[in-house]
Amino acid sequence: MTASAPLLWFVAGYIVVSIGIGLVAGAKVHNTKDFVVAGRTLPFYVVTATVFATWFGSETVLGIPAKFIEGGLGSIVEDPFGSSMCLVLVGMFFAAKLYRMDMLTIGDFYRQRYNPTVELLTSLAIVASYLGWVSAQIVALGLVFNVLSAGAISMAAGILIGAAIVVVYTLWGGMFSVAWTNFVQMVVIVIGILYIGWIIGDKAGGVGNVIAHAREAGKLHFFPEPTTRDVLWFLGAAVTMMFGSIPQQDVFQRVTSARTVNIAVWGAIVGGVLYFVFAFVPVFLGYSAFVIDPQLVAEHLEKDPQHILPHLILANTPLFAQVMFFGALLSAIMSTASGTLLAPSVTFTENVLKRFMKKDLTDRQFLWIMRLVVAGFATIVTIFALNSESSIYEMVGNAYKVTLVTAFVPLVAGLYWKRATATGALLALVFGMGTWLALEWLNPEGLIPPQLAGLVAAAVWMVIGSLATQGRVHAGARHAG
């Protein structure tokens, strides 16, 4: 199905407007604090919008519905169940403590609480985790351009175009551009998704009819079979994004950009709840294809289920509905892509590259170095996206296994356990990562999912290392006194 000329013009116009909003917001950037955390000036409604936009990206509109169609409700425990719970947990247990520390990056926490070595290793793990996450958004933009042009724009060309679009306003305006474009994009997402839900629901015979079809097909079973392996793999999937995405720079930036600590807390909680609610609208839309156009589902199910929803909209809805859908889809992808491109670039500059720079750099010079790193990371991500064969959902899920086994335990222990030490944090990093990688290589489909084993190993060695060095820590403190 080929997109109409008016729809293509709308897409082009919407992209230009989004870039314009980002560039105008970017005029507020005068220093690195403005670039990284928007000068800590954002009001509640903008913080809520940008937190909501943290996860409402390509995997929500394209990846989750495709995964649900293939495996049912239990197969999407990672996202949206785990991801939305992550944001709620951040608001309840992490936002206030981190906000009051007044840091630029989450990597700064590991230096302040432990030492520069822990800062370096966790920051590198955090940066590495974004490779698949940002690539998923760029791949999705390529998919959109490919679908809308009926193949005239190849996936590769679409990926290059999408990357260039996101880089333009992120490079210029940093978190100010990300936050204010996220706000506008969230409005488009909510209105567009709800409108499309109404149109598609009517064509499918109502919400009840779609749910009944899904229930009869066994798609609404959530909990795993009561076997050890199934339960452990279910837990492994749940904690991957629920815990693994907590020590992430994009989540940290969106929360600590708030004007007050209360805004930081409640923006995270409300944003997480809104994400959970609205993430199920694309699931409903995607599964409605079974009722409306079974032949379309059969055509794309074996090739690429991620194409089902866009083609359903193009083939079965009027122009205005197509405009609303692709506006919401572009908003979702661009809002997530911009924040997840900025986050690793800032972390790498502040927590890795900075230690090799001249000490007398001005703040303005450091800001331009950050911008150069944004461009460099965008180039790496684009190359990865062009060569990746994973689905969008898999790329997103795999990204957070890295931070789950390395950065999560040292963060929790550092905030809530006074006896946590740098030695414990280092051992948690080494054994968490080592256990995960060893199992991924030796027995990736075994009884215990590799990332869950890595998380447990990190927790155990955090305790062992910290307790083993208590005497030395206290002796050093007495000597210093």
Side-chain angles (χ1 to χ4, degrees), residues 265-353:
V265 170
W266 286 104
I269 293 173
V270 175
V273 172
L274 285 175
Y275 172 75
F276 181 76
V277 172
F278 280 94
F280 281 96
V281 181
V283 172
F284 167 75
L285 294 175
Y287 195 79
S288 295
F290 273 105
V291 180
I292 298 172
D293 195 344
Q295 185 177 349
L296 182 146
V297 175
E299 181 182 341
H300 293 288
L301 195 58
E302 291 187 6
K303 296 179 182 178
D304 188 350
Q306 295 169 142
H307 282 258
I308 291 174
L309 184 51
H311 282 93
L312 174 72
I313 300 300
L314 285 174
N316 294 277
T317 61
L319 175 62
F320 183 71
Q322 294 174 22
V323 166
M324 295 302 291
F325 172 77
F326 283 100
L329 177 56
L330 284 169
S331 293
I333 298 169
M334 292 169 66
S335 64
T336 300
S338 57
T340 50
L341 175 60
L342 179 65
S345 305
V346 166
T347 300
F348 183 77
T349 310
E350 169 71 13
N351 302 112
V352 180
L353 196 59

Side-chain angles (χ1 to χ4, degrees), residues 205-222:
V207 175
N209 189 44
V210 175
I211 293 175
H213 191 288
R215 183 182 295 111
E216 290 172 8
K219 299 295 184 181
L220 299 187
H221 295 304
F222 179 67

Side-chain angles (χ1 to χ4, degrees), residues 67 78 306 389-399 401:
K67 192 76 173 177
E78 197 168 55
Q306 295 169 142
E389 296 181 358
S390 300
S391 72
I392 291 170
Y393 194 93
E394 289 170 342
M395 291 169 76
V396 171
N398 290 336
K401 293 177 182 178

